[in-house]
Amino acid sequence: MNRNYSRVMFYTPIIILTVCCSLLASASSQDPLRIGSKVLPQVNTRPMVAGSNNWLTPFIAPAMVEVDSNWNWVCTICTEIPNYKNDTIEVIKIPKVRNKVLKTWWEIKPGIVWGDGTQVTGNDVAKTVNMMKKQLIKSKAFELFPIRSIRINKDNPRKFTIIFNQVRSDFFQLLNISLIPSHIVSEIAFSAGSPSGSPEKVIIKWYDKQKKIISMKEPNPALYYGLWYPFKQDSKSLTLKKHPKYARKPPLENKNFSKIKITRYLSSNSLIKAIENNSIDLILEGNLTIQEATRLINNQQNLAANERNFRVISTAGSKLEQLIFNLRNPKLAEPGIRQAIAISIDRSRINKILLKEFGEIPAHIFHPNDPFYTDIKKEYFFDPKKAEKLFLDAGWIKSKDNYIYKNKSRFEIDIVTTKSKLRSKILKLIKEDLKKAGIKVNLIVQNKKTFFTDTIKKANFRDIALISWNRIPAGIPWETFHSQQIPSMINDYSGLNIGGWHRREVNQVLEDMVKDIKYEKQKELSSKLMEIFSLELPTIPLFFTPSFAVISKKVKGFQLSGHIYGSSEGHIHWYKKM
């Protein structure tokens, strides 16, 4: 099994047609949807990453498969995700190929067209995949590319088959990509950055069939196949207009507005004033801190009901803050000790003081909305008396100085993290709790470069690291829990199992989750994995970070998803009531 497959799927840069911005809704054709943001997306094209979020993409060039507001993977421009129940997926053997491969059947929905009226087909998928391959060659990761071939149906080019190099249950997640118009674009080249660089810093040039650069400054609906396309942009705003050839009617077509205007605000204060003054209709997630959202809520509560022209909504986001144990350290190797540390920390107090109770205290690493979430029997609630007994059973006895000792050695741990106001406050509360339990805590704060390129990448920490994960829905945690993913010189420090969790049973469960293409079996296996997790406790999940959005009372149909892809996946259901 290729241990790096999942990292290619989720972390390798992929060419995607995009332009950064926001949302859809509906209302009078004369009244645009007005969105405020602290960052104004630039109308350009650039590589993206399968599994990352670009909140404009669903409007202008929706991915083949996306995650809906209920955290389910769905086909957006294709008819359905291939699965064993409808015989659109098959494990096959290819001559002279050692391992079995996965053959899948796909079909683009009729009526999904580019702005010039050309039907989106399997040729566009093949073109996009070829661009992905070229990027991987440049990043020296081509041998890891998961797609073996794409074959277009001669009689109906909307239909095509994709053969994957491995039997992989989450194969479809690779198709979380926007497409390139194969009838217009001949080549794409990097003009800055690198294939493995940040998507925000990489700009690419598009070339037409005559090898001329395609200008992105002029509106060109032929480059997009969503309901909207970028029409006008200056330094302060971006305007989207309706796709002239879009054939698939939204549910509320009669209320759809004809424009979406996104305006940049230089500060949170100016953004908040804009929603309070009714200058904008919507602030999407990622723009406001907990303190800023709380301030808005308090301002609203001080107004009479008929004067409240907007509302703040929140949900637990997919970003999980957690403490990761270094299991190579003999002091932390016993599960009983890790359990004692876990129940010595009052996570509810952290949620109340720092998150204003907007966070979610997790049972394990899967979000409650995740398809892989399962209830488990064993959870770790704050229980100082039980913690004291666990420490005592392991030979750690509290002395007169209120610290616990074993063989005259004081229980002392380092917790390392990055410089952040929130994390500094988190660690302060954790230090207070652990001191009451008799543990001496040393806080180590590092700059981001040192933390991520040395401490985390090379698992170079003595005891505990405070870090966040942002897992995609139904994502198999192979890269964080399989023993092959423990960072080392052998794998060029590419693994994310930085705690060094090494259990044969865990490896087997993860391998079975990857191989078994039946969802019911995957769900059963994820439940088994979390049962093992709850007993071993290689990490302490602290909380899922809250996500906030602010919407005008006129905006209806909005649902804050909380997952990594953002709420714009459900934009087709939004409208503006006058």
Side-chain angles (χ1 to χ4, degrees):
M1 178 178 293
N2 190 326
R3 63 177 182 272
N4 289 312
Y5 181 92
S6 61
R7 293 179 58 78
V8 172
M9 177 172 291
F10 303 132
Y11 302 108
T12 300
I14 293 173
I15 294 284
I16 284 188
L17 171 63
T18 180
V19 184
C20 273
C21 171
S22 142
L23 174 94
L24 153 61
S26 329
S28 163
S29 61
Q30 303 302 316
D31 189 19
L33 178 68
R34 304 164 302 170
I35 302 170
S37 176
K38 289 192 292 187
V39 178
L40 184 65
Q42 298 299 309
V43 178
N44 57 23
T45 54
R46 57 198 178 190
M48 288 291 293
V49 178
S52 70
N53 174 37
N54 182 329
W55 54 291
L56 178 65
T57 302
F59 305 110
I60 60 172
M64 277 187 62
V65 297
E66 295 179 339
V67 181
D68 65 17
S69 299
N70 296 315
W71 291 54
N72 296 313
W73 285 91
V74 296
C75 248
T76 309
I77 66 170
C78 47
T79 55
E80 63 182 350
I81 295 176
N83 62 83
Y84 74 95
K85 290 184 178 179
N86 56 18
D87 294 325
T88 51
I89 183 172
E90 183 182 1
V91 177
I92 63 174
K93 188 75 175 68
I94 295 179
K96 298 182 181 181
V97 175
R98 180 178 179 182
N99 297 321
K100 291 182 178 180
V101 299
L102 191 67
K103 186 175 183 179
T104 59
W105 282 262
W106 300 79
E107 181 179 354
I108 301 295
K109 295 175 182 176
I112 301 294
V113 298
W114 298 96
D116 58 4
T118 303
Q119 169 73 47
V120 175
T121 68
N123 293 312
D124 301 313
V125 179
K127 184 74 174 182
T128 306
V129 167
N130 285 333
M131 294 299 100
M132 292 163 59
K133 287 183 178 181
K134 289 186 177 182
Q135 284 195 72
L136 289 172
I137 291 172
K138 289 181 180 180
S139 64
K140 299 180 181 180
F142 178 71
E143 67 275 9
L144 305 178
F145 193 69
I147 293 180
R148 182 177 183 85
S149 63
I150 297 179
R151 294 185 178 180
I152 316 299
N153 187 306
K154 294 181 180 180
D155 298 324
N156 184 354
R158 289 190 295 105
K159 297 181 178 182
F160 54 97
T161 59
I162 300 179
I163 295 180
F164 293 84
N165 283 324
Q166 294 177 337
V167 177
R168 180 89 190 190
S169 61
D170 53 2
F171 66 91
F172 57 88
Q173 294 173 7
L174 180 66
L175 277 301
N176 176 240
I177 55 173
S178 295
L179 304 180
I180 293 168
S182 60
H183 66 295
I184 294 176
V185 177
S186 64
E187 190 61 64
I188 292 180
F190 290 95
S191 60
S194 65
S196 58
S198 166
E200 297 299 322
K201 296 180 181 179
V202 179
I203 300 173
I204 57 178
K205 294 178 181 179
W206 290 40
Y207 294 87
D208 62 18
K209 299 295 184 180
Q210 286 72 44
K211 306 297 181 181
K212 294 181 180 180
I213 295 177
I214 299 173
S215 173
M216 296 298 167
K217 295 182 179 180
E218 300 297 326
N220 187 352
L223 299 178
Y224 310 98
Y225 54 89
L227 181 55
W228 304 90
Y229 75 96
F231 175 71
K232 182 180 180 182
Q233 183 177 24
D234 55 36
S235 61
K236 297 180 180 179
S237 66
L238 169 65
T239 300
L240 306 181
K241 285 190 71 174
K242 281 282 190 68
H243 184 311
K245 301 289 185 178
Y246 194 81
R248 302 183 65 82
K249 302 296 182 182
L252 298 166
E253 174 67 19
N254 60 321
K255 294 184 178 180
N256 272 347
F257 31 74
S258 59
K259 294 180 182 179
I260 296 175
K261 184 175 183 180
I262 302 98
T263 304
R264 177 173 65 97
Y265 292 86
L266 298 178
S267 68
S268 297
N269 286 336
S270 59
L271 186 61
I272 290 172
K273 286 182 180 179
I275 194 75
E276 290 179 329
N277 297 334
N278 198 29
S279 298
I280 56 176
D281 302 308
L282 179 64
I283 301 174
L284 284 174
E285 57 263 62
N287 281 283
L288 299 180
T289 65
I290 297 168
Q291 292 74 20
E292 291 162 351
T294 304
R295 181 180 126 199
L296 263 178
I297 293 171
N298 293 336
N299 290 349
Q300 281 289 81
Q301 291 175 343
N302 293 329
L303 297 174
N306 61 348
E307 295 178 334
R308 300 174 184 175
N309 59 355
F310 65 88
R311 61 192 179 101
V312 181
I313 57 177
S314 69
T315 189
S318 57
K319 184 179 178 181
L320 174 63
E321 290 284 344
Q322 60 187 331
L323 296 171
I324 299 182
F325 291 106
N326 179 4
L327 303 183
R328 308 166 194 82
N329 186 333
K331 188 189 301 181
L332 302 173
E334 291 299 321
I337 292 295
R338 300 195 294 271
Q339 294 167 12
I341 293 174
I343 60 178
S344 296
I345 298 172
D346 190 349
R347 296 181 296 168
S348 295
R349 184 169 77 116
I350 295 174
N351 188 27
K352 182 176 182 180
I353 294 175
L354 302 183
L355 309 180
K356 311 303 179 185
E357 298 188 324
F358 287 113
E360 175 85 22
I361 307 299
H364 45 66
I365 65 163
F366 288 119
H367 191 283
N369 292 339
D370 195 296
F372 283 166
Y373 178 83
T374 181
D375 290 322
I376 58 174
K377 298 176 182 178
K378 192 174 184 64
E379 291 192 47
Y380 293 92
F381 299 108
F382 182 55
D383 193 340
K385 290 184 178 180
K386 185 177 179 181
E388 184 177 1
K389 184 179 184 305
L390 286 171
F391 282 127
L392 191 60
D393 290 345
W396 293 94
I397 303 171
K398 185 167 285 191
S399 183
K400 292 180 180 180
D401 62 359
N402 287 324
Y403 287 112
I404 56 176
Y405 289 80
K406 183 178 182 180
N407 299 328
K408 297 182 180 182
S409 176
R410 183 173 62 180
F411 201 117
E412 186 172 343
I413 57 174
D414 295 342
I415 304 180
V416 61
T417 192
T418 54
K419 188 175 182 180
S420 156
K421 288 183 180 180
L422 177 61
R423 285 187 176 150
S424 295
K425 293 176 181 178
I426 293 170
L427 289 180
K428 182 180 178 181
L429 295 178
I430 289 174
K431 183 175 182 177
E432 291 173 359
D433 287 340
L434 293 183
K435 184 177 181 180
K436 293 175 184 177
I439 299 174
K440 174 74 165 81
V441 176
N442 303 310
L443 304 181
I444 301 174
V445 179
Q446 299 177 335
N447 61 56
K448 289 184 178 180
K449 183 178 180 180
T450 300
F451 184 73
F452 288 108
T453 61
D454 183 42
T455 303
I456 296 303
K457 182 177 176 62
K458 297 182 180 179
N460 188 21
F461 60 99
R462 192 185 76 170
D463 302 314
I464 299 175
L466 172 59
I467 192 172
S468 64
W469 285 347
N470 206 345
R471 189 174 300 283
I472 67 171
I476 299 171
W478 172 279
E479 72 282 358
T480 50
F481 288 151
H482 198 284
S483 64
Q484 290 181 350
Q485 295 297 307
I486 297 173
S488 67
M489 291 181 65
I490 296 174
N491 61 19
D492 195 26
Y493 299 103
S494 61
L496 294 178
N497 185 356
I498 63 172
W501 196 25
H502 191 169
R503 291 290 181 272
R504 287 184 180 180
E505 187 179 12
V506 172
N507 288 349
Q508 189 61 58
V509 170
L510 289 169
E511 290 164 12
D512 290 344
M513 286 183 74
V514 168
K515 293 176 182 177
D516 202 306
I517 59 177
K518 295 182 179 179
Y519 170 75
E520 297 82 3
K521 184 63 176 179
Q522 294 173 48
K523 180 77 173 178
E524 178 186 324
L525 290 165
S526 68
S527 178
K528 184 177 181 180
L529 178 64
M530 288 304 97
E531 289 292 342
I532 301 171
F533 176 93
S534 68
L535 293 173
E536 290 277 330
L537 212 64
T539 78
I540 301 177
L542 295 175
F543 58 82
F544 285 105
T545 305
S547 181
F548 297 95
V550 187
I551 61 174
S552 164
K553 291 173 68 175
K554 295 179 182 179
V555 176
K556 307 296 179 181
F558 179 88
Q559 184 176 346
L560 183 61
S561 70
H563 59 61
I564 190 173
Y565 299 104
S567 300
S568 56
E569 310 291 338
H571 69 279
I572 200 94
H573 301 289
W574 302 358
Y575 66 98
K576 194 172 176 182
K577 188 175 181 180
M578 304 307 293

